[in-house]
Amino acid sequence: MVKEEKESEQQQLEISLKSATPHNRSTEVPMSTPQASKSQLTIFYGGSVCVYDAVPPEKAQAIMLIAAATAAASATKPPAVNSNPIPLITGPVTSASPPLTRSPSFQSSSAAAAQAQIAANPNSSLCKLQAELPLARRNSLLQFMEKRRNRIVSKAPYAVEKSSDGKEMSVLELKPQVA
Amino acid sequence: MVELRRAMSFGIPDVALELVLAYIDHPRDRDAVSLVCRSWHRADARTRRHVTIAMSYSTTPAVLARRFPCLLSLKLKSKPRAAMFNLIPRDWGGAAAPWLARISQPSSFDLLRSLHLRRMVVTDPDLSLLAAAKAPLLLSLKLDRCDGFSTHSLSRITSACRKLETLFLEESNIKDHGGEWLHELATNNTALVTLNFYLTELSFSPVDLELLARNCRSLTTLKISDRDISDLVGLFHAATALQDFGGGLFDDESGMAVNKYNNFYFPPSLQCLSLAFMATDEMHVIFPYAAILKKLDLQYALLSTEDHCQLIPRCPNLLVLAVREVVGDRGLEVVAQTCRRLRRLRVERGADDQGGVEDEQGRVSQVGLISIARGCPDLEHLAVHVSDITNTALESIGTYSKNLFDFRLVLLDREATITELPLDNGVRALLRGCTKLGRFSLYLRPGGLSDTGLGYIGECGRNVRYMLLGNVGESDRGLMLFAGGRPNLQKLELRSCCFSERALALAVLQLPSLRYIWVQGYQATPDGSDLAAMVRPFWNIEFISPNSESDADAQVQILAYYSLAGRRTDCPPYIRCIPPS
């Protein structure tokens, strides 16, 4: 994900998110007002963060466009502003319901309660930044799996099972919610 | 004065009105009746037989007693559905005490004979009160996924309530002090029709169960906790009216010289079976009865894909089938060919480890779904966990499953790539085709449904009253499109979505029929402050923070619902009610 701090008001093209602070963890969505260092470019990618100072605006633009084009090409949708394979975009600038665009959530200038909208590009590692919860298992089935494991273990406690302890954890973990 | 009253009642005497109302049961019809005029309101109040309170905090026992003093039957639910998935903190609330206290008051609910509590906290004193007050009348008691009580108070109930026809304890968390309660039931009762302590860990003596079966000639449904069914031979010979049996378990007989389950006897009246830990070598016990079976639950069996393909062709009369994913696309193909009259199908999630305990073929995909849609036109209820999916599969359901009322799809996260995403078009086709759909649940992954697709759900799911959506949409725009479609949703559950708190609040305000919403996994503020946008009269908002006892990766939850009772007074400290008082 590419973020850039800009003081210019040309929000039509760069619908920038909040500026990145140097202390960002890659799992957090940063929120703050645009900073004075207007040519700092921050890139989040694959769990690591790279910060570049003194990047000229047109270069930053070029980088963003390249990223957008690549993301759009691998996504199935056209890279329109409103449909978002492009990770940049905070939210609908041209949303159908006007109150929303004025709401703090969508304005990059708002410091406090604003949250960034991260478009869910299926091919982007960005997806991890979403509040993606593991599926939860139904209690009755959890109990059944536990009992079944105990039966196997008690039947052959020293057998080398494929469903070893390490794998067992995957059953015990809370996984996607059952319907 | 009499003339005036009669005129206002449209010329219908009260007695006649009440006789007519006796034929009107549906809550929505009754609602309409009660709004005609005061006299009809009173007639409805006197004759209303059953009330379901879907959220116990939405009203108070006193209000219920005033409004419907002559109730025969009451159902109360409290904890959010997510409690069945261990997502709700143990001390969230849901105490049945105020309700049972009011019900047990003298001259209160004098006609009540049936009580059903679901996902509530019930204590021993609560039940003892109930037993003391209502014993002579109580015909049906259901403590359904409840917790907080023990077998001590169960004994009080079973020894005092001798006319009990239904005792239902399924999946309740009950402290076990021995099987005395069952002995009391067996020796005191001859009216029992249904006994269900399935998925509890209660211990019992098979001798008591056999005695019960002999004394209660009408015993039709029996679902028990784990016990080797070879201990239950006497029971099955005694229970001559038994139609529905669930529970028990099988010992591991593989490798045994003589299988102790050979020629196992079930009563010939048996139509519904749920047998736990039944493996390949024990499957044959079902064969003599398979042809008449209407309901089969294999969720807790130990069968392979091939086993399912061997067993199911023998069951052409199945109306209800529950299996785990191990049934596979192959097994579903067999179901589609054999069970032409199938009404309800559930494909539950299996174990995650590969090749260890579950079958390699044991995965369900669009292939299985399409077979089922084509083969089972009577399907009313379909719940599936799939490893892969396409739009075509959903379109097939929209085309063929015209009787579908309840549809639930969970896309598991096993495969890195799914054949076809997003599912926008398929979802739209399904919602447009299944016009009777009332309950809809879709749990995907990021990229599974675009903002546009989420908009389709809002626009096309017109009759749907309940929805659970997980990992849908891409941004707040999707949520606004969804709400803008004005679906007539009454209850909404959202999980693991990317929406902001403010957008959620605004969307809630746009949903015209919404009376209950639960959300976990969204862009939360630290204190729920953006929820202020949805503050309105009679709307309780709970912002539930993960407390120190809960899971490390537990996330904030929102629970909001309409209530005439005002803010609840029993919130634990980590729940913040909005607005703060």
Side-chain angles (χ1 to χ4, degrees):
Chain A
M1 181 156 91
V2 176
K3 296 184 184 188
E4 183 185 41
E5 289 84 62
K6 281 204 175 241
E7 284 185 351
S8 95
E9 292 303 307
Q10 293 161 348
Q11 255 85 32
Q12 300 304 323
L13 290 180
E14 329 79 39
I15 304 146
S16 66
L17 297 165
K18 282 44 105 189
S19 62
T21 63
H23 309 295
N24 257 342
R25 301 203 308 259
S26 56
T27 48
E28 256 183 12
V29 176
M31 308 179 297
S32 65
T33 49
Q35 287 179 351
S37 56
K38 54 176 150 179
S39 47
Q40 186 182 73
L41 175 67
T42 308
I43 299 179
F44 290 77
Y45 187 71
S48 57
V49 181
C50 310
V51 180
Y52 304 92
D53 286 331
V55 177
E58 58 278 16
K59 286 285 193 292
Q61 186 94 0
I63 293 171
M64 284 196 284
L65 285 173
I66 292 171
T70 322
S74 47
T76 53
K77 295 182 294 295
V81 167
N82 283 340
S83 65
N84 304 315
I86 306 170
L88 265 186
I89 299 175
T90 49
V93 173
T94 57
S95 156
S97 67
L100 274 187
T101 53
R102 285 182 223 111
S103 85
S105 309
F106 295 85
Q107 294 300 335
S108 55
S109 54
S110 156
Q115 296 273 0
Q117 294 308 307
I118 303 160
N121 182 342
N123 300 311
S124 162
S125 58
L126 261 194
C127 299
K128 297 191 186 77
L129 292 176
Q130 234 177 276
E132 194 190 334
L133 289 173
L135 266 180
R137 260 195 204 278
R138 206 172 189 119
N139 201 20
S140 50
L141 275 143
L142 258 177
Q143 311 272 12
F144 166 69
M145 300 293 182
E146 176 80 32
K147 285 179 194 171
R148 182 170 68 172
R149 234 196 334 273
N150 291 341
R151 269 167 76 108
I152 293 173
V153 166
S154 64
K155 178 184 138 195
Y158 301 110
V160 176
E161 297 280 3
K162 282 185 198 154
S163 53
S164 63
D165 277 348
K167 291 271 180 58
E168 280 171 10
M169 280 311 295
S170 69
V171 176
L172 275 181
E173 268 170 25
L174 294 182
K175 282 279 183 171
Q177 177 152 24
V178 171
Chain B
M1 277 319 282
V2 173
E3 315 304 303
L4 194 61
R5 240 189 296 133
R6 220 183 280 144
M8 285 174 70
S9 266
F10 307 98
I12 305 171
D14 289 347
V15 172
L17 179 62
E18 291 187 13
L19 283 174
V20 171
L21 287 184
Y23 291 95
I24 300 177
D25 272 326
H26 197 284
R28 253 178 264 145
D29 293 335
R30 280 289 187 144
D31 196 34
V33 161
S34 69
L35 293 173
V36 168
C37 63
R38 285 211 183 96
S39 157
W40 282 42
H41 183 96
R42 280 193 297 268
D44 168 52
R46 278 192 301 270
T47 57
R48 188 83 70 113
R49 282 186 281 259
H50 172 82
V51 164
T52 296
I53 298 177
M55 180 18 152
S56 67
Y57 290 112
S58 64
T59 185
T60 66
V63 167
L64 181 70
R66 213 165 40 236
R67 179 78 174 85
F68 298 115
C70 308
L71 271 188
L72 298 181
S73 161
L74 174 64
K75 178 174 177 180
L76 279 167
K77 302 196 286 185
S78 197
K79 292 187 197 173
R81 235 184 120 255
M84 298 191 295
F85 301 85
N86 296 318
L87 296 174
I88 302 294
R90 292 222 64 196
D91 56 346
W92 169 84
W99 296 91
L100 289 174
R102 184 61 201 246
I103 288 169
S104 309
Q105 267 177 25
S107 315
S108 195
F109 296 106
D110 284 335
L111 301 177
L112 194 73
R113 57 188 194 205
S114 167
L115 183 62
H116 183 167
L117 303 176
R118 184 166 161 96
R119 292 195 297 266
M120 295 188 80
V121 177
V122 186
T123 62
D124 280 344
D126 294 335
L127 286 179
S128 303
L129 253 185
L130 181 72
K134 296 291 181 202
L137 277 180
L138 205 61
L139 293 184
S140 169
L141 179 62
K142 294 184 182 173
L143 301 168
D144 175 3
R145 286 149 187 87
C146 293
D147 64 89
F149 62 103
S150 78
T151 48
H152 285 325
S153 54
L154 262 189
S155 298
R156 291 262 180 94
I157 295 275
T158 52
S159 60
C161 308
R162 297 174 175 223
K163 296 217 193 103
L164 217 51
E165 290 173 5
T166 297
L167 181 61
F168 181 106
L169 306 167
E170 186 167 310
E171 219 178 322
S172 287
N173 197 346
I174 309 170
K175 206 149 193 283
D176 191 7
H177 296 296
E180 182 62 26
W181 65 274
L182 183 63
H183 184 75
E184 292 284 348
L185 194 61
T187 46
N188 293 324
N189 192 309
T190 54
L192 203 68
V193 173
T194 297
L195 174 61
N196 182 328
F197 54 102
Y198 196 43
L199 303 175
T200 65
E201 302 300 316
L202 293 179
S203 59
F204 65 94
S205 153
V207 171
D208 286 333
L209 216 49
E210 193 181 327
L211 179 61
L212 182 75
R214 269 193 268 118
N215 288 341
C216 302
R217 309 314 298 159
S218 318
L219 190 68
T220 324
T221 299
L222 181 63
K223 299 179 93 161
I224 62 174
S225 52
D226 289 345
R227 189 55 174 258
D228 193 332
I229 62 160
S230 56
D231 292 344
L232 304 175
V233 173
L235 162 69
F236 289 124
H237 280 90
T240 50
L242 199 64
Q243 290 175 11
D244 186 347
F245 178 75
L249 58 79
F250 288 80
D251 244 350
D252 193 342
E253 288 294 297
S254 54
M256 295 290 177
V258 179
N259 191 319
K260 69 175 168 178
Y261 304 110
N262 278 345
N263 304 314
F264 197 86
Y265 176 84
F266 287 113
S269 47
L270 206 59
Q271 294 174 356
C272 314
L273 262 185
S274 325
L275 295 171
F277 299 105
M278 182 179 64
T280 316
D281 290 337
E282 291 105 43
M283 187 166 79
H284 62 272
V285 305
I286 300 190
F287 290 174
Y289 310 90
I292 47 165
L293 278 184
K294 293 202 178 134
K295 261 178 80 163
L296 184 59
D297 183 353
L298 301 172
Q299 289 178 95
Y300 311 108
L302 301 175
L303 303 177
S304 65
T305 309
E306 177 59 34
D307 290 337
H308 284 83
C309 296
Q310 293 296 318
L311 176 56
I312 291 168
R314 297 167 186 263
C315 313
N317 290 309
L318 279 185
L319 299 178
V320 178
L321 176 64
V323 290
R324 292 196 314 280
E325 283 172 276
V326 67
V327 71
D329 282 334
R330 257 189 72 209
L332 287 186
E333 176 69 47
V334 170
V335 171
Q337 284 165 359
T338 319
C339 311
R340 298 307 225 166
R341 279 180 271 174
L342 199 66
R343 298 225 193 110
R344 298 172 70 104
L345 175 64
R346 168 169 277 269
V347 180
E348 214 12 289
R349 181 175 168 206
D352 288 333
D353 38 357
Q354 300 289 338
V357 263
E358 297 281 32
D359 206 299
E360 284 137 23
Q361 302 173 66
R363 299 286 179 257
V364 170
S365 74
Q366 60 272 15
V367 173
L369 276 188
I370 294 174
S371 315
I372 290 292
R374 290 213 174 120
C376 308
D378 292 344
L379 215 53
E380 291 165 9
H381 180 119
L382 178 61
V384 274
H385 288 75
V386 294
S387 302
D388 195 7
I389 188 72
T390 57
N391 281 289
T392 315
L394 299 179
E395 282 156 19
S396 299
I397 296 174
T399 308
Y400 296 105
S401 309
K402 290 304 187 187
N403 290 311
L404 206 58
F405 171 74
D406 191 330
F407 177 73
R408 308 183 192 208
L409 181 86
V410 177
L411 177 60
L412 296 169
D413 57 2
R414 287 211 193 80
E415 303 295 328
T417 2
I418 299 297
T419 301
E420 198 185 1
L421 287 183
L423 296 172
D424 297 5
N425 293 335
V427 166
R428 180 175 53 177
L430 191 151
L431 288 170
R432 279 187 180 160
C434 301
T435 49
K436 296 185 189 170
L437 206 65
R439 298 172 75 82
F440 179 70
S441 175
L442 196 64
Y443 205 106
L444 302 175
R445 59 172 66 177
L449 197 73
S450 75
D451 282 343
T452 314
L454 189 49
Y456 291 158
I457 298 184
E459 197 187 301
C460 302
R462 299 241 54 90
N463 293 327
V464 179
R465 300 268 172 251
Y466 163 76
M467 279 195 203
L468 163 62
L469 301 173
N471 279 319
V472 293
E474 307 157 284
S475 70
D476 283 351
R477 177 177 163 265
L479 184 60
M480 288 303 125
L481 285 175
F482 170 76
R486 295 265 189 249
N488 287 319
L489 269 187
Q490 288 178 333
K491 180 170 172 181
L492 177 62
E493 294 180 326
L494 288 173
R495 196 158 184 266
S496 187
C497 291
C498 54
F499 312 128
S500 69
E501 199 167 88
R502 189 178 159 80
L504 281 169
L506 293 174
V508 162
L509 293 178
Q510 287 190 59
L511 293 167
S513 309
L514 193 73
R515 60 188 194 194
Y516 181 108
I517 180 166
W518 178 82
V519 185
Q520 184 186 43
Y522 69 102
Q523 308 285 355
T525 57
D527 56 357
S529 48
D530 277 355
L531 294 176
M534 67 171 176
V535 165
R536 56 188 175 181
F538 303 114
W539 185 242
N540 283 6
I541 305 172
E542 295 179 19
F543 183 76
I544 305 169
S545 309
N547 58 342
S548 50
E549 291 169 23
S550 59
D551 243 322
D553 58 5
Q555 296 222 358
V556 143
Q557 299 174 29
I558 306 172
L559 176 64
Y561 49 91
Y562 274 124
S563 174
L564 298 173
R567 176 176 306 198
R568 63 179 176 116
T569 51
D570 59 354
C571 278
Y574 53 86
I575 296 184
R576 182 170 175 258
C577 293
I578 292 163
S581 45

